[in-house]
Amino acid sequence: MSQIPPEFIVKIDYDTCRRCRRCVMNCSFGCMQFKDRVVPDHKKCVACHRCVTFCPESAISITKNELTYKDSANWLPETRQNILKQAETGGILLTGMGNPRPYQILWDHMLIDACQVTNPSIDPLREPMELRTFLGRKPNRLEFTRDGNDEIKLSTELQPQVKLDVPIVFAAMSYGAISLNAHRALAMAAKNSGTLMNTGEGGIHKDLNSYTDNIVVQVASGRFGVTSEYLNSSAMVEIKIGQGAKPGIGGHLPGEKVGEDISKTRMIPVGTDALSPAPHHDIYSIEDLSQLIYAIKEATDYTKPVSVKISAVHNVAAIASGIVRAGADAVTIDGFRGGTGAAPMVIRDNVGIPIELALAAVDQRLRDEGIRSHASILCAGSIRNSGDVAKAIALGADAVVIGTAALVAMGCRVCQKCYTGNCAWGIATQKPELVRRLDPQVGAERLSNLVTAWGYELQEILGSLGVNSIESLRGSRERLRGIDLDEQTLELLGIKPAGIGQ
Amino acid sequence: MRCDCYIPSGCAVSGIMSKAGERMDGNDIIRSIALMHDRSNGLGGGFAAYGIYPRHANEYAFHMMFDNMEAKDQCEEYLKDTFDIVLDEEIPTRPGAVFEQDTSGRSAECGTQPITSPPILWRYFMDVPEHRTTFVSEREYVVEKVMDINSKFTGTFVASSGKNMGAFKGVGYPEDIGMFYKLDEYKGYIWTAHGRFPTNTPGWWGGAHPFCLLDWSIVHNGEISSYGINKRYLEPFGYKLELRTDTEVVAYLFDLLVRRHKMPMDLAVRALASPFWKDIDRMPKREQKIATAIRQVYGGALLNGPFSIILGYSRGMVGFNDRIKLRPMTCATKGDDMLYMSSEESAIREIADPDTVWSPKAGTAVIGELNWEVE
Amino acid sequence: MMRIDCKGMYYRKLNSMIRDAVEEGETEFILDNVNGQRYIGNGINEKVSITINGVPGNDLAMFMNGPALVINANAQDGVANTMNAGEIIIHGSAGDVLGYGMRGGKMYIKGNVGYRTGIHMKQYKKQIPVIIAGGNAGDFLGEYMAGGILVLLGLDRDENTPIAGDYLGTGMHGGVIYIRGEVEEYTLGKEVSVLDLDAKDEKLLKKHLSEYCKHFELDLDELLSKPFIKLLPVSCRPYGNMYAY
């Protein structure tokens, strides 16, 4: 019998409860039972809000179990709970979603400029405001020739570029980690919004075949579902080296989640564990990465940009430079607050560096080396709102990647139980009765709404900055100022403190 | 002399060109910019003139500003080491000058502001020693030296560094600056002028327009809101942006795009003030391909914010606006020869009776080129 | 009648001369050799007439409330800025941002008009501003337009020049634009729709155009011989659905 006290207390207002049992039907964690009336098993509650949302009488409330542990600023309830768990099991603490610990969030210590008098702001509703962004390798210069009729011709052949209508793409989340309906919703939304979804490393379901132009396919260490057909069913190919939530750590989709459909897309037998090793066993050094990049380019006949995703670690700038020189057309940097379907808690909470610093370092390093245009930079790892998007772009990102925000848009309540497969919202689960809960159409609409709204807000920010195109914000750190940041952090971010003019 | 704070500014611009290369004195350009007196505030004015040094046409003419003799001596040592100085002399001036013709009528009402406290103004006509150009082109060499001087020598500033041209600028109203520099005594085939309205200035002579590099000169009305990224875009190409003014980036962008990247002038302007995607999407295929590639590759060079700009260079004069025309620009021609550009039509009418007057479309360059070849 | 030679005259002197004379009862002015003087007609509340020979400076007739101006040349930027009442006849072309926030009076231009003509023009009860331009217009014609009447005739135009520029009526949420000719769909702001004229429109247009024709000695029938289109805002609250509460 577990000694761990419940994390939450579920209160039912029996005066208003109609005993309709909707909460019982909706609870996927087995917390709600019906014996004459609804009886919650507090220990099983994860605060996923499913019951609260669907109770027609608003008779359910969930509160934190406040008084369980005696106060200590050092031995926090969570700390002690984790020790109890490990004392009972002897296991690695597993968790889902991004790092929840109260590290300083640097986005919240940066402020954006605006125009007053000396240059005008531009009205984003009435005047043109451009967000179109191209991902891919660009040369440092263009060359032109004149033909016989004295007409100017472009003689530089550009590498393949992927067009985004908004500089916001959906993060890599595999079919397996999330449901097919969630994948469908992401693909539809990507198409509607003129952006990209990313298959993650679980292969691609045949139902998504018509979304080729809006899909990034991932090649990770497990190589699940990777065929030349898969590589060619995409707008871009991404090699996944690392993930912000678990740098240096592989993945593991338990066999019980590998049903008929997943077995097909991952191309492994039903019920087998899908193991992604920590490293790619064909990449033990940077030249091996180059070898893989060009293997993919050969397989796709140089028609698609190849991107490399890494987690933000101490040496990220030098690593990114190597990646660009190895031939990558885009680099995705995933910061230490980035999400995951499952990760060891100790890794998620203690490994990596903030995306803000990593992004600033990479952009500056590539500029210093004169190769910034050779690859696009995608910034991932807890982009929470359009303010974060604008700040990331001003620091130097070409586009941002949203995972958790996209899940929340589809209904996720960030209960961090993705790894259990019991997602009550039909997102991080493969149980058919739960998957059904997510209507892909509705999910797509909600995702598109989010992207549209952030797009509008970005236009508002551009307008207030007096520019009408996203490329005038990209890398324009002059338009950012830091508050409550020490001198060295400011220097690393390449921004001035608030209060200093241009 | 160097100011450490960034100075946004509003302004007036004017430009005159004889396409036939007929040289005219500076009186007209002074009268033209004087008419727009109220667009500036007495904290900066300047001119660029082309064709003014025919006897030294093959030498680089450096117009220099020094805070004191010490700065001058130090810089001269450097110039002697790096160039062959053919001639050096003080730039002739009329201390305390004011423009008396008073086209705008303002000084009679509000009094004058004679030009005072200039830095030491000196010009050097110089050749690049042949042995210095083994590994870099002559112009590249000159650019490096200009960047060097502006970034490393305190109290020293290169106002212009082209051949057979020069920038004349300082703190004051432009018409008075023109008289101060005796521009009525020079003859050039292109003249551009600028009256400045900075919001806050410590009165820095080097901060006035035009901004020059080699024979490029820029006068600019408005503000480059994309300055931050334009600066970061230029830096990896070796440009040092230390003058803390948005206009500087424009001169360097033209140098990069036209001189180093060899882009045709109209395409360079298309990179700096590119068409909107909406318009690119409607272009014929060939044109679309070029416009798309330019935006993809030169996004960091896109000038954003309100501006009207007149670029001067040895072979011509180019005027263009920002993409949504937030600053004014009127152009005019007279006969086959004369081309005028100005912030206001009246500033052209003050000096000419043009045949045609028009406002160019936003983001579209008006390019005037000499009928004859010049280096 | 008061005749002033404006050669080399600073605008402050000119405008104070006019204001003083108006105060003393003068009703008619002829200004010769005008070139670049700003603010002519600014803030005058009497029904005086001012003839301007030469190119007046920016913000001509700003806050004007009554006078009738005739300009025998081109005009620069910002004519009729926040104008309340009166009449402006321009026998040439005019620059950018004409009639910004204009809420009454009339402005007739013989030639072309620049960018952002009629921007944020508005009407209130009986005060309905009218702008008629004989030539073509730059981009953003009728931007944010909230009221009033804008007419564009497109006379003397070469075939390559569109009658109106891009972003036509963008943000328009009131008033009406009449255009003598066709405009391309892609140039329209997303807040406007193109309609045919009804009898009421024809009557209104005829009334204003006959007045316009008188000033520039044009033939009304010929003007009306070519079909007009009408631009109306789709909604008086075009951005009502953009916000989350």
Side-chain angles (χ1 to χ4, degrees):
Chain A
M1 148 111 193
S2 171
Q3 291 183 14
I4 305 167
E7 216 177 330
F8 303 100
I9 300 294
V10 182
K11 284 189 195 142
I12 314 264
D13 180 350
Y14 291 112
D15 292 341
T16 51
C17 174
R18 277 198 281 152
R19 304 177 185 214
C20 69
R21 303 189 206 188
R22 250 178 246 191
C23 51
V24 179
M25 287 183 285
N26 269 287
C27 182
S28 56
F29 289 90
C31 165
M32 295 297 209
Q33 286 137 35
F34 194 82
K35 308 165 182 163
D36 302 337
R37 58 182 194 173
V38 176
V39 181
D41 177 355
H42 302 302
K43 280 192 176 182
K44 288 184 175 160
C45 178
V46 300
C48 76
H49 289 189
R50 185 77 189 180
C51 59
V52 176
T53 310
F54 283 87
C55 175
E57 300 302 324
S58 301
I60 306 172
S61 57
I62 301 169
T63 53
K64 247 179 157 175
N65 192 3
E66 289 286 356
L67 292 173
T68 315
Y69 297 90
K70 182 162 174 159
D71 268 355
S72 164
N74 188 29
W75 294 96
L76 298 175
E78 185 197 336
T79 315
R80 280 176 270 177
Q81 181 185 300
N82 286 338
I83 290 175
L84 289 172
K85 268 189 203 168
Q86 294 190 295
E88 285 175 13
T89 62
I92 295 171
L93 291 165
L94 200 62
T95 185
M97 310 303 296
N99 191 333
R101 305 198 62 80
Y103 290 101
Q104 185 185 36
I105 297 170
L106 292 172
W107 300 130
D108 296 338
H109 291 265
M110 284 183 250
L111 296 169
I112 304 168
D113 191 20
C115 292
Q116 297 288 297
V117 183
T118 55
N119 50 353
S121 42
I122 300 175
D123 194 290
L125 300 182
R126 266 70 66 171
E127 311 255 343
M129 227 12 104
E130 301 184 311
L131 299 178
R132 189 184 292 184
T133 300
F134 286 89
L135 301 180
R137 171 171 296 248
K138 284 114 187 150
N140 279 350
R141 58 170 290 193
L142 291 176
E143 289 182 48
F144 299 91
T145 47
R146 264 175 216 283
D147 66 10
N149 306 324
D150 208 31
E151 279 201 338
I152 294 276
K153 278 185 72 178
L154 180 65
S155 45
T156 309
E157 195 64 53
L158 250 66
Q159 304 277 317
Q161 306 287 326
V162 174
K163 184 176 101 175
L164 305 178
D165 290 338
V166 279
I168 302 167
V169 306
F170 298 126
M173 293 178 278
S174 71
Y175 174 39
I178 60 173
S179 65
L180 183 56
N181 278 356
H183 249 209
R184 284 193 182 112
L186 286 163
M188 279 190 253
K191 191 169 187 177
N192 292 344
S193 303
T195 184
L196 302 169
M197 66 89 75
N198 188 318
T199 58
E201 67 160 322
I204 190 170
H205 193 275
K206 59 177 177 13
D207 283 8
L208 303 189
N209 281 349
S210 57
Y211 298 96
T212 294
D213 292 344
N214 300 92
I215 285 182
V216 181
V217 295
Q218 211 176 48
V219 176
S221 59
R223 303 288 156 87
F224 297 110
V226 177
T227 61
S228 72
E229 190 194 344
Y230 168 80
L231 295 175
N232 282 293
S233 309
S234 71
M236 187 158 100
V237 182
E238 181 171 84
I239 299 170
K240 180 199 170 182
I241 300 293
Q243 185 178 342
K246 42 178 175 176
I249 298 286
H252 173 188
L253 186 71
E256 58 262 31
K257 280 192 175 177
V258 182
E260 196 63 43
D261 259 357
I262 293 203
S263 141
K264 274 186 208 150
T265 61
R266 295 219 172 196
M267 302 165 91
I268 52 170
V270 174
T272 323
D273 281 357
L275 301 175
S276 296
H280 288 247
H281 286 286
D282 52 2
I283 305 176
Y284 290 147
S285 183
I286 188 78
E287 69 273 19
D288 293 348
L289 174 69
S290 187
Q291 193 170 315
L292 179 59
I293 290 171
Y294 282 92
I296 292 169
K297 289 190 178 186
E298 283 288 325
T300 54
D301 197 20
Y302 299 86
T303 56
K304 299 170 199 307
V306 175
S307 123
V308 174
K309 177 181 175 182
I310 49 170
S311 34
V313 292
H314 300 184
N315 207 19
V316 67
I319 296 165
S321 161
I323 289 171
V324 176
R325 291 182 187 281
D329 305 303
V331 185
T332 302
I333 319 163
D334 195 9
F336 85 138
R337 289 192 305 271
T340 176
M345 190 185 283
V346 65
I347 301 289
R348 184 194 70 176
D349 292 357
N350 298 288
V351 176
I353 63 168
I355 185 58
E356 300 91 328
L357 292 167
L359 170 62
V362 169
D363 175 69
Q364 190 56 47
R365 174 68 174 258
L366 298 184
R367 282 177 195 276
D368 289 345
E369 294 186 23
I371 55 172
R372 175 61 187 86
S373 67
H374 295 190
S376 301
I377 299 178
L378 290 109
C379 163
S382 198
I383 298 290
R384 305 158 301 164
N385 52 51
S386 61
D388 291 354
V389 180
K391 290 167 188 176
I393 289 173
L395 278 183
D398 288 270
V400 302
V401 181
I402 57 168
T404 303
L407 297 180
V408 172
M410 284 192 280
C412 164
R413 297 298 199 266
V414 198
C415 74
Q416 308 181 10
K417 293 285 184 263
C418 325
Y419 59 94
T420 64
N422 288 329
C423 179
W425 296 88
I427 302 168
T429 178
Q430 302 305 327
K431 296 182 179 164
E433 69 277 16
L434 296 179
V435 172
R436 259 200 311 273
R437 293 180 179 187
L438 180 67
D439 180 334
Q441 285 288 355
V442 174
E445 202 172 304
R446 295 174 65 94
L447 286 163
S448 290
N449 281 343
L450 181 74
V451 174
T452 304
W454 286 14
Y456 283 146
E457 289 173 343
L458 280 179
Q459 293 182 333
E460 292 279 351
I461 291 171
L462 289 183
S464 77
L465 288 168
V467 299
N468 49 25
S469 188
I470 195 80
E471 53 254 57
S472 295
L473 176 64
R474 193 186 307 137
S476 199
R477 297 185 187 177
E478 185 51 55
R479 310 310 292 274
L480 292 177
R481 289 294 182 271
I483 47 164
D484 301 332
L485 293 175
D486 61 82
E487 216 168 299
Q488 191 155 25
T489 306
L490 288 166
E491 200 184 311
L492 291 168
L493 291 171
I495 63 174
K496 295 169 187 154
I500 290 193
Q502 198 156 320
Chain B
M1 178 168 71
R2 184 66 47 92
C3 99
D4 290 324
C5 54
Y6 176 85
I7 310 162
S9 54
C11 304
V13 294
S14 193
I16 309 173
M17 174 183 185
S18 158
K19 290 193 220 168
E22 294 291 334
R23 300 196 306 141
M24 53 218 146
D25 66 36
N27 280 310
D28 274 0
I29 192 72
I30 294 175
R31 282 170 58 217
S32 174
I33 199 76
L35 189 91
M36 297 185 286
H37 182 98
D38 284 318
R39 298 185 73 96
S40 35
N41 70 352
L43 293 176
F47 300 80
Y50 292 82
I52 52 174
Y53 299 130
R55 271 185 295 167
H56 296 280
N58 295 320
E59 295 141 25
Y60 289 93
F62 273 48
H63 281 199
M64 303 290 302
M65 296 175 169
F66 302 109
D67 275 355
N68 48 51
M69 284 310 288
E70 197 192 345
K72 178 168 178 284
D73 290 345
Q74 269 180 9
C75 183
E76 254 171 33
E77 282 306 308
Y78 177 83
L79 291 177
K80 277 178 198 162
D81 286 348
T82 45
F83 291 95
D84 293 335
I85 301 176
V86 177
L87 171 74
D88 75 283
E89 62 186 9
E90 190 174 4
I91 298 176
T93 56
R94 292 186 191 105
V98 288
F99 175 63
E100 283 162 5
Q101 253 172 299
D102 196 14
T103 46
S104 75
R106 185 181 186 276
S107 56
E109 297 286 305
C110 310
T112 57
Q113 270 194 15
I115 302 302
T116 55
S117 333
I120 298 169
L121 300 164
W122 214 264
R123 63 189 170 204
Y124 300 82
F125 296 97
M126 303 188 292
D127 284 326
V128 175
E130 229 165 81
H131 67 275
R132 299 278 193 179
T133 54
T134 324
F135 300 110
V136 289
S137 73
E138 190 181 282
R139 290 182 187 207
E140 199 61 42
Y141 181 81
V142 174
V143 169
E144 273 174 24
K145 299 310 152 204
V146 172
M147 295 291 147
D148 248 20
I149 297 170
N150 282 344
S151 62
K152 290 182 188 153
F153 290 79
T154 47
T156 300
F157 176 69
V158 186
S160 61
S161 50
K163 286 180 177 176
N164 202 8
M165 60 81 68
F168 302 89
K169 61 185 194 175
V171 175
Y173 280 103
E175 59 272 28
D176 302 328
I177 290 287
M179 295 316 289
F180 171 80
Y181 277 110
K182 300 186 171 184
L183 298 186
D184 45 318
E185 296 178 3
Y186 289 80
K187 283 191 159 186
Y189 54 83
I190 296 170
W191 287 91
T192 64
H194 185 259
R196 188 150 186 255
F197 199 132
T199 34
N200 169 26
T201 179
W204 183 48
W205 277 60
H209 298 206
F211 279 91
C212 303
L213 182 68
L214 295 172
D215 65 326
W216 307 111
S217 71
I218 296 288
V219 292
H220 158 219
N221 170 10
E223 180 162 340
I224 309 295
S225 303
S226 56
Y227 169 76
I229 184 54
N230 300 142
K231 176 175 184 282
R232 291 190 81 216
Y233 172 74
L234 281 164
E235 279 166 348
F237 293 102
Y239 295 93
K240 292 177 184 144
L241 293 99
E242 304 203 345
L243 304 181
R244 311 188 74 88
T245 146
D246 51 348
T247 308
E248 184 187 23
V249 301
V250 187
Y252 299 167
L253 284 170
F254 273 106
D255 187 58
L256 177 70
L257 268 52
V258 181
R259 182 178 64 85
R260 288 173 58 182
H261 289 184
K262 299 186 168 51
M263 277 172 96
M265 183 58 80
D266 56 333
L267 292 188
V269 172
R270 186 166 276 195
L272 302 187
S274 58
F276 286 100
W277 287 117
K278 174 184 150 183
D279 302 318
I280 293 174
D281 292 346
R282 295 182 55 259
M283 286 176 180
K285 266 271 170 302
R286 187 186 65 90
E287 214 185 320
Q288 186 179 65
K289 191 178 164 199
I290 292 175
T292 301
I294 288 177
R295 285 202 69 170
Q296 288 170 335
V297 173
Y298 290 100
L302 176 71
L303 295 175
N304 222 316
F307 62 79
S308 49
I309 283 170
I310 304 177
L311 161 77
Y313 60 111
S314 300
R315 275 173 294 123
M317 179 166 88
V318 177
F320 64 108
N321 284 106
D322 64 82
R323 311 194 297 163
I324 50 174
K325 202 162 189 278
L326 295 171
R327 296 314 298 141
M329 168 88 81
T330 301
C331 296
T333 55
K334 187 164 173 63
D336 292 337
D337 185 24
M338 297 302 296
L339 173 65
Y340 302 89
M341 298 174 182
S342 177
S343 304
E344 296 185 20
E345 181 178 336
S346 50
I348 297 172
R349 299 225 174 247
E350 187 65 17
I351 53 171
D353 184 17
D355 306 328
T356 51
V357 177
W358 79 101
S359 289
K361 210 174 143 41
T364 306
V366 174
I367 302 177
E369 282 200 313
L370 276 184
N371 299 336
W372 42 274
E373 280 301 312
V374 65
E375 190 198 338
Chain C
M1 195 266 287
M2 186 171 180
R3 194 159 193 142
I4 305 173
D5 181 0
C6 304
K7 179 104 192 144
M9 186 181 284
Y10 192 47
Y11 74 84
R12 280 190 213 172
K13 186 171 173 188
L14 172 61
N15 290 331
S16 79
M17 274 171 80
I18 296 172
R19 276 197 301 272
D20 291 351
V22 168
E23 208 156 289
E24 282 161 24
E26 181 58 64
T27 58
E28 198 185 339
F29 297 85
I30 297 177
L31 313 181
D32 292 322
N33 296 316
V34 168
N35 195 36
Q37 284 87 356
R38 294 178 172 182
Y39 314 123
I40 297 173
N42 179 322
I44 298 179
N45 299 313
E46 312 297 324
K47 289 193 168 170
V48 301
S49 79
I50 305 175
T51 301
I52 298 170
N53 296 317
V55 176
N58 293 354
D59 281 342
L60 174 74
M62 187 167 184
F63 308 125
M64 192 170 86
N65 187 29
L69 306 188
V70 176
I71 297 96
N72 293 314
N74 293 337
Q76 295 187 165
D77 300 338
V79 184
N81 189 342
T82 327
M83 169 174 157
N84 204 49
E87 185 182 84
I88 304 171
I89 318 287
I90 300 172
H91 284 271
S93 291
D96 296 338
V97 199
L98 301 189
Y100 176 22
M102 183 177 174
R103 66 164 73 80
K106 295 167 185 170
M107 172 156 55
Y108 298 146
I109 304 109
K110 187 173 186 197
N112 304 329
V113 290
Y115 278 54
R116 298 186 174 79
T117 298
I119 181 170
H120 223 313
M121 230 164 110
K122 43 179 86 72
Q123 69 187 59
Y124 183 62
K125 294 185 175 165
K126 284 195 166 165
Q127 268 189 294
I128 302 172
V130 179
I131 298 178
I132 305 179
N136 51 276
D139 294 357
F140 302 101
L141 178 72
E143 187 177 13
Y144 301 88
M145 191 168 157
I149 301 165
L150 251 175
V151 186
L152 189 61
L153 300 174
L155 304 170
D156 300 327
R157 190 161 48 91
D158 70 72
E159 276 172 25
N160 299 324
T161 315
I163 184 161
D166 212 340
Y167 307 101
L168 174 51
T170 179
M172 186 174 174
H173 54 290
V176 58
I177 301 177
Y178 297 105
I179 295 177
R180 186 172 171 273
E182 295 291 321
V183 292
E184 294 223 49
E185 182 71 28
Y186 77 91
T187 64
L188 291 176
K190 58 185 181 302
E191 299 85 355
V192 289
S193 54
V194 178
L195 301 162
D196 289 329
L197 274 63
D198 59 23
K200 232 172 102 189
D201 293 313
E202 309 254 351
K203 203 176 144 199
L204 186 76
L205 200 55
K206 204 164 177 179
K207 183 185 126 200
H208 287 294
L209 284 181
S210 55
E211 208 175 308
Y212 181 86
C213 286
K214 258 190 281 173
H215 290 294
F216 300 115
E217 292 171 5
L218 293 166
D219 181 23
L220 178 66
D221 291 338
E222 201 192 313
L223 278 195
L224 292 173
S225 67
K226 233 180 127 180
F228 280 76
I229 54 163
K230 174 170 75 166
L231 261 58
L232 281 182
V234 177
S235 156
C236 66
R237 296 200 56 218
Y239 310 107
N241 295 327
M242 270 192 69
Y243 300 96
Y245 299 100

